[in-house]
Amino acid sequence: MKGQSIFLFLFSLLLPWSSVFSQFPGDNSRNNGSKPTLDGFAEVSWEASYGQVRDKFLSLAANPQSDEKIEVVHEDKEKSLLVRRNGIFYLYRFYSTPKLVLDSRPKDKNQPRPEKETSPDEDEHLEPGKLFSVGVSFRYLPGKEVQSKLENKYGKPKKETFDDKKIGGAVIWELTDERQAPPAGGFIVQWKEAYKKQPFTRRVDYFSSKVKAQIEKEYKEFFSAEEIKTLRDLIP
């Protein structure tokens, strides 16, 4: 099932880091008692719809008064949008709750969910995709320089991991407001890899903490959804 494979891919993208962040709870104080949070990427907020983000970049690309070079390179409706902006690639990723999970939940008789017919080739989702991650890709840059720029804006990272050669790995920032549940904000992963025997970076990923928590919760629901749905059909 295509819908299932997409859902598993999204969760696999987040799963390796969920255990890391659980070891480093948010610290709501830095310098003068506050720290930056990550409420979105650049001018786009987390949970913005696919349509909103797409329309924004199509409008910017068509604006004759803009000095920026913007192109929508590829789009996968409600799932991803690849934008090239001034020579840098930005992959906007979107998430929506799988239909199987929605169908397994108790129905609200006062607010019935509208039915939507889907063809066998379509992913089984009812809700519009909402922004949960942005991946930034660029030419190789010295890893220390990229990390320094991120630290200047977001402070010291929460965690840094290394490969066996102590060159590649990942640097992780947690930028959340723990007073909310699930926590607002997000986290950043800077990837380092060996290039000419030195740590270089060509990719940085930004994630929404709130949607990450939603994906983790619905991942657990997903694997029991079919059984729940079957029981409901057997015992109306």
Side-chain angles (χ1 to χ4, degrees):
M1 294 184 355
K2 187 178 178 184
Q4 178 177 346
S5 62
I6 292 294
F7 181 76
L8 294 176
F9 166 75
L10 293 177
F11 185 77
S12 67
L13 191 66
L14 291 168
L15 184 59
W17 304 110
S18 59
S19 59
V20 172
F21 279 103
S22 65
Q23 300 175 39
F24 298 94
D27 178 5
N28 289 317
S29 62
R30 185 172 72 87
N31 296 333
N32 60 354
S34 64
K35 74 164 192 173
T37 58
L38 190 69
D39 299 319
F41 179 81
E43 67 273 35
V44 182
S45 300
W46 296 134
E47 300 187 71
S49 72
Y50 173 88
Q52 289 173 330
V53 179
R54 180 180 184 274
D55 290 347
K56 178 180 182 63
F57 284 110
L58 289 177
S59 177
L60 288 172
N63 185 358
Q65 298 180 344
S66 176
D67 295 330
E68 293 189 278
K69 294 181 179 179
I70 298 175
E71 176 189 3
V72 177
V73 178
H74 183 264
E75 50 186 298
D76 190 356
K77 189 175 181 181
E78 306 298 346
K79 300 180 187 69
S80 65
L81 194 70
L82 180 61
V83 176
R84 180 162 52 201
R85 189 171 189 173
N86 301 323
I88 297 176
F89 288 93
Y90 300 86
L91 180 60
Y92 291 78
R93 308 181 183 103
F94 301 84
Y95 175 77
S96 57
T97 303
K99 180 177 181 296
L100 183 61
V101 172
L102 291 173
D103 288 345
S104 70
R105 293 173 176 171
K107 300 296 187 296
D108 186 344
K109 296 181 180 180
N110 296 323
Q111 294 181 338
R113 184 179 294 116
E115 294 295 331
K116 174 184 175 184
E117 294 184 1
T118 57
S119 69
D121 296 330
E122 290 181 336
D123 286 315
E124 295 184 347
H125 291 75
L126 291 175
E127 301 177 336
K130 57 186 179 183
L131 182 66
F132 84 96
S133 173
V134 180
V136 186
S137 301
F138 40 86
R139 63 181 178 83
Y140 274 120
L141 293 174
K144 289 184 178 180
E145 292 185 13
V146 176
Q147 182 173 346
S148 177
K149 286 189 174 295
L150 288 168
E151 287 182 357
N152 287 339
K153 185 170 185 179
Y154 298 111
K156 293 295 182 181
K158 280 288 184 180
K159 176 76 173 180
E160 186 167 2
T161 64
F162 297 95
D163 60 16
D164 293 338
K165 296 181 179 180
K166 303 299 181 182
I167 297 178
V171 188
I172 306 165
W173 284 261
E174 183 182 9
L175 306 163
T176 61
D177 183 353
E178 294 290 340
R179 293 170 297 181
Q180 301 186 41
F187 57 98
I188 303 170
V189 182
Q190 175 197 349
W191 303 94
K192 291 184 180 181
E193 55 186 280
Y195 178 66
K196 296 183 178 180
K197 297 182 180 181
Q198 295 293 325
F200 274 73
T201 293
R202 59 177 175 177
R203 176 181 156 199
V204 178
D205 284 301
Y206 299 75
F207 296 91
S208 161
S209 292
K210 180 180 178 181
V211 184
K212 164 185 155 310
Q214 178 185 346
I215 292 174
E216 290 176 342
K217 176 179 178 292
E218 292 180 355
Y219 174 82
K220 296 175 182 178
E221 288 186 70
F222 186 83
F223 284 99
S224 60
E226 192 66 52
E227 289 80 2
I228 294 172
K229 186 175 182 298
T230 301
L231 286 172
R232 184 173 290 125
D233 291 341
L234 287 172
I235 310 171

